[in-house]
Amino acid sequence: MMDTKDLALKLGLTEEEFERAVHLTGRELTMEEVAVYSAMWNEHVSYKSSRRYLKTLPTRGEAVVLGPGENSGVVSIGDGWLAAFKMESHNHPSYIEPFQGAATGVGGILRDIFTMGARPIASMDSLRFGAVDHPKTQFLASGVVHGISAYGNCVGVPTVGGELDFDPTYDGNILVNVFTLGVMPKKRLFTAQARGIGNAVIYMGSPTGRDGIGGAIMASHTFEGDSEGKKPTVQAGDPFMEKLIMEATLELMEAGLVQAVQDMGAAGLTCSTFEMAHKGGVGMAIDLNNVPKRVEGISAIELLLSESQERMLVVSPKGREAEVLGILEKWGVPAAVIGHIQDEQVVSMTWKGREVVRLSPDWVVGDAPLYNRPTADPLVLAKRRAPVDMPEITANEAFEAVVSHPSIRSGAWVWQQYDHMVGAATVLPPGEGDAAVVRVNEKAPGGLAMSVDGDQDVTWLDPQTGGYNCVAESALNCAVTGAKPIALTNCLNFGNPEKPEVMLEFAQAVKGIARACTDFHIPVTGGNVSLYNESNGVSIKPTPTIAVVGVLDDVADAVPMAIRDKDLRLAMVGDERRTMAGSLLQRLKAPHLGGTPVQANPELHNNLMHFLQAAASRHMLAAAHDISKGGLAAALFEMVQAGGFRYGLKATLPGGMGGPPMVQLFGEGPSRVIITYYLEYENALFDLATQFKLDPVFLGETMADLFIIEPFLSYTLQELTVLTKG
């Protein structure tokens, strides 16, 4: 018969962690208590390898109302409104079962938003799959996209943008990062801090089953060999129930029947009870017999470890339980009173008349392990930056390789599966702008811009520069539309933290993110760390993903990226530095990555963002687009592509700038933007740029039928459309 230590090891605790739990508790643990510790002390929940680094991120700012530690961060966006937003990963589940893994990732992040009191109005995703020709890529990509669309479309929250990349580093471990933003009036802000002795603890949502058992524990381990056996750890989603829960929750809040609320996400009922009690400095008495159950014969341990979806835990005022249950019944949401808040700061749980759990939230949450894992010598990273020669290829060969890559050619096959206009709040939908733009309130002109960005190649070469530039690019994408960036959330996707090289990557990337947040005055309001992204001993490239939110005073000022007219002037403004190091062309054509990437200059980058905001507010820009993956040639192509290939352009490389022609065309560096404008605005635009210490470079004009970058590239628009097929 299995003893408590055997169970602890089976559920992922180390021998040292088990002994720590016994020491904190001061007695022998029950089997159920072992399950609690294993659920709460795994990497995915406790952040035991990353917490010490996350504490260095700046989290305070003028707009920040709530920073990290709640279901989501909250910022003030003016006119009495707040925005709640967060990004989460669902990487491991999506690789094991792509449809349900991605779908339930959407469901979880939606609950994180409406538990704050906000109505979700927009989602984005950052998707990374293996090589296009890998045998599993098509299956995984189609399943993930279908899962996201099926869930989001059913709930009625538009997916308005995101990013997509294919890289062999993700062959055995894809990344599915999902972002959601919601808005609410200031008076309707809620937290997960349980309070009020005697207040009722109410379970609401789908009954608990055995699906998803140990999901958070699974997400804290690497993939070794076949993943089929882990399918039972992936949850199954029900978007129709999610919609009912969302509407019911918002109604309960309006009726004054919610004191605190939390999603039963990672670690399920265990996490929600212990975290809510810990945040509020109270205890809870829970009767597990009252938990709604989907299957007969489910055990107390299974109830504690299940991650069945569409479940919430609500603390409601004592004596008003019937009102709560009545509203939930009206919406068709299963619910039950399962306990109450108690003065003694202990979470006690009974099962079939016996107390099976009696633990302090301070032990389980506050005293979770915190590791200072060893990091490799920085020389490991320096060796990656050894120069690498590019093969001799023509400009046409390079251009066709870059623009036919899925990260550059239109992602319409993805976003056309999403209902990006539901709710009628979307102003700049997918493919229309560098950032998505949504209206906050139909009665007011203001809006929000949001962008999600990552760069695994630059981050692999230089994690600190990669982290820094990811923040810079996401902020710039918001500024390109005319918005002022105010805050960010992140998903930090890395390999096995028990490897010193991976911990060095993580530490350096977080350092870069922290510096960028300070330099650009963009605080972190929350996020997610996903470690153990490794299969068969090989970790993914370090992939921090950054989502920045910005405010627009008037959505009518939002600047698109699409070229939609001829005889527009083209100019480039920003940093002249660029390199092949970490570029898309280097990834595609060089034997391996190498060289030193360019890090954004904070003064220049801030000036560029302020210039773009000023130009947009003066309605001087017809379109604008940042130059990122693929370099200048790809950025010009993307602007033509966004316009549906109805208009082309004729540009000339500026002589003597940015190095050799191939580097000018395909080299990459931060803080560069292409702007298009009518001739009548040219003098005013260039004068405005001078005020911000910028020196625009004239490139050419838009035209009807051709795409020309003299003297290297010349295509008809029909020829360009052919390049994007496949």
Side-chain angles (χ1 to χ4, degrees):
M1 184 175 179
M2 183 180 295
D3 62 16
T4 53
K5 185 174 182 179
D6 291 336
L7 178 63
L9 297 178
K10 181 180 179 181
L11 292 178
L13 289 176
T14 66
E15 189 168 339
E16 293 76 15
E17 288 169 346
F18 172 74
E19 296 299 335
R20 176 188 178 92
V22 172
H23 175 74
L24 284 171
T25 310
R27 55 171 169 76
E28 185 177 340
L29 302 177
T30 68
M31 292 292 200
E32 290 80 5
E33 287 171 338
V34 170
V36 167
Y37 278 113
S38 70
M40 296 300 294
W41 285 9
N42 67 69
E43 189 72 60
H44 194 67
V45 175
S46 71
Y47 289 5
K48 57 192 176 186
S49 298
S50 60
R51 287 203 316 273
R52 66 175 60 251
Y53 297 103
L54 300 180
K55 291 177 181 178
T56 66
L57 295 172
T59 59
R60 296 182 180 181
E62 181 180 343
V64 176
V65 176
L66 285 177
E70 279 295 338
N71 290 319
S72 74
V74 178
V75 294
S76 174
I77 55 176
D79 297 324
W81 285 82
L82 304 176
F85 61 90
K86 190 180 182 184
M87 186 158 56
E88 286 275 4
S89 63
H90 233 221
N91 303 334
H92 287 63
S94 298
Y95 182 80
I96 296 168
E97 213 299 303
F99 178 90
Q100 290 293 357
T104 52
V106 174
I109 195 69
L110 289 174
R111 292 191 295 279
D112 282 339
I113 300 307
F114 67 74
T115 51
M116 305 304 298
R119 178 173 290 279
I121 62 169
S123 290
M124 298 190 301
D125 46 61
S126 174
L127 308 178
R128 283 177 166 76
F129 302 103
V132 175
D133 58 358
H134 189 275
K136 289 196 71 171
T137 294
Q138 184 174 353
F139 164 73
L140 292 169
S142 61
V144 164
V145 171
H146 188 198
I148 291 171
S149 64
Y151 205 101
N153 292 354
C154 288
V155 177
V157 178
T159 300
V160 297
E163 63 168 354
L164 174 69
D165 203 354
F166 293 78
D167 186 320
T169 191
Y170 309 112
D171 282 348
N173 200 127
I174 64 175
L175 301 184
V176 177
N177 295 174
V178 183
F179 165 98
T180 294
L181 176 144
V183 295
M184 59 188 159
K186 284 185 177 180
K187 64 179 181 180
R188 201 173 69 197
L189 174 61
F190 290 83
T191 71
Q193 299 173 22
R195 294 187 301 274
I197 306 307
N199 280 349
V201 178
I202 298 177
Y203 174 116
M204 59 179 284
S206 297
T208 298
R210 292 191 174 98
D211 56 313
I213 287 179
I217 298 170
M218 174 271 295
S220 303
H221 291 83
T222 62
F223 287 144
E224 302 296 338
D226 186 13
S227 61
E228 287 296 307
K230 294 184 177 180
K231 280 193 174 184
T233 64
V234 179
Q235 311 94 324
D238 181 352
F240 298 103
M241 177 57 70
E242 179 95 346
K243 173 66 172 174
L244 297 175
I245 291 172
M246 180 173 70
E247 299 300 339
T249 301
L250 296 176
E251 182 173 335
L252 290 173
M253 290 171 169
E254 286 294 322
L257 295 172
V258 174
Q259 184 279 313
V261 57
Q262 180 160 320
D263 167 40
M264 291 189 212
L269 180 63
T270 297
C271 188
S272 55
T273 50
F274 277 91
E275 285 194 350
M276 292 179 78
H278 183 258
K279 289 173 184 176
V282 296
M284 282 187 185
I286 302 295
D287 188 345
L288 295 175
N289 297 280
N290 292 342
V291 173
K293 304 168 187 65
R294 189 182 306 158
V295 294
E296 294 292 332
I298 192 168
S299 69
I301 290 177
E302 289 171 324
L303 287 174
L304 291 169
L305 294 181
S306 172
E307 294 183 19
S308 295
Q309 289 292 285
E310 292 84 41
R311 301 182 302 157
M312 310 268 284
L313 199 65
V314 178
V315 176
S316 292
K318 180 181 180 181
R320 303 188 70 182
E321 295 89 343
E323 295 175 70
V324 175
L325 296 177
I327 289 175
L328 295 174
E329 183 179 9
K330 181 189 77 172
W331 283 101
V333 175
V337 178
I338 65 169
H340 63 270
I341 303 299
Q342 59 186 11
D343 189 29
E344 185 183 9
Q345 293 184 27
V346 167
V347 174
S348 60
M349 296 181 173
T350 57
W351 174 247
K352 296 182 178 179
R354 181 173 63 92
E355 187 177 59
V356 293
V357 173
R358 185 175 182 81
L359 298 172
S360 167
D362 289 342
W363 304 336
V364 175
V365 180
D367 291 323
L370 178 62
Y371 292 130
N372 185 16
R373 296 195 185 276
T375 57
D377 190 309
L379 286 175
V380 171
L381 302 181
K383 291 178 181 178
R384 298 178 182 178
R385 297 191 289 274
V388 57
D389 292 330
M390 290 291 295
E392 292 291 332
I393 57 174
T394 66
N396 290 91
E397 290 172 329
F399 180 76
E400 292 173 16
V402 165
V403 302
S404 63
H405 191 266
S407 65
I408 302 297
R409 71 171 188 248
S410 174
W413 71 272
V414 174
W415 56 259
Q416 283 178 351
Q417 298 184 52
Y418 303 152
D419 187 346
H420 55 272
M421 296 304 293
V422 64
T426 308
V427 177
L428 283 183
E432 295 286 322
D434 276 29
V437 174
V438 297
R439 191 185 307 275
V440 173
N441 180 352
E442 61 182 14
K443 298 178 181 178
L448 295 170
M450 58 203 83
S451 174
V452 56
D453 292 282
D455 190 330
Q456 66 272 12
D457 295 329
V458 169
T459 309
W460 186 82
L461 287 173
D462 186 338
Q464 189 170 162
T465 292
Y468 192 96
N469 284 1
C470 285
V471 175
E473 182 180 357
S474 194
L476 181 59
N477 280 333
C478 285
V480 164
T481 69
K484 176 187 177 182
I486 59 169
L488 67 81
T489 182
N490 58 57
C491 264
L492 306 179
N493 308 277
F494 288 77
N496 186 342
E498 297 166 39
K499 294 183 175 180
E501 186 172 315
V502 170
M503 280 312 300
L504 176 63
E505 293 171 343
F506 186 87
Q508 290 291 305
V510 172
K511 185 175 182 179
I513 292 169
R515 286 201 304 110
C517 290
T518 299
D519 288 346
F520 306 132
H521 312 291
I522 305 173
V524 178
T525 62
N528 169 254
V529 176
S530 175
L531 301 177
Y532 292 97
N533 290 290
E534 174 182 288
S535 60
N536 297 318
V538 180
S539 291
I540 63 166
K541 293 175 186 173
T543 313
T545 308
I546 305 294
V548 169
V549 173
V551 292
L552 272 163
D553 292 335
D554 191 337
V555 294
D557 297 339
V559 179
M561 65 180 282
I563 292 176
R564 290 205 173 92
D565 201 357
K566 61 181 179 178
D567 300 324
L568 291 170
R569 310 278 280 182
L570 288 165
M572 179 170 59
V573 58
D575 201 329
E576 296 179 10
R577 299 173 299 160
R578 66 207 77 170
T579 176
M580 285 296 183
S583 66
L584 178 59
L585 185 61
Q586 187 181 64
R587 186 206 305 178
L588 296 176
K589 294 297 183 181
H592 55 82
L593 296 177
T596 302
V598 177
Q599 187 168 121
N601 176 290
E603 181 181 4
L604 187 153
H605 198 82
N606 276 315
N607 288 345
L608 179 59
M609 291 193 292
H610 295 151
F611 161 71
L612 292 165
Q613 293 155 17
S617 68
R618 292 166 171 78
H619 306 103
M620 293 178 173
L621 301 176
H625 182 38
D626 85 312
I627 302 172
S628 53
K629 272 296 171 191
L632 174 63
L636 290 169
F637 167 84
E638 287 173 323
M639 297 180 79
V640 171
Q641 176 178 248
F645 297 106
R646 290 186 291 275
Y647 296 97
L649 57 85
K650 183 177 181 180
T652 303
L653 287 183
M657 291 182 59
M662 290 293 281
V663 176
Q664 288 194 58
L665 285 168
F666 305 106
E668 297 177 18
S671 317
R672 289 188 298 150
V673 172
I674 298 166
I675 57 174
T676 75
Y677 52 90
Y678 290 100
L679 178 60
E680 62 191 273
Y681 292 115
E682 185 163 88
N683 290 336
L685 259 177
F686 280 44
D687 288 345
L688 182 64
T690 301
Q691 294 176 32
F692 290 100
K693 302 179 183 179
L694 299 170
D695 187 15
V697 178
F698 179 73
L699 292 177
E701 297 179 338
T702 63
M703 59 193 303
D705 301 315
L706 300 173
F707 179 93
I708 299 171
I709 304 179
E710 292 186 322
F712 303 100
L713 300 170
S714 179
Y715 293 88
T716 67
L717 297 187
Q718 178 60 36
E719 288 171 333
L720 287 189
T721 63
V722 173
L723 293 178
T724 66
K725 307 299 182 185

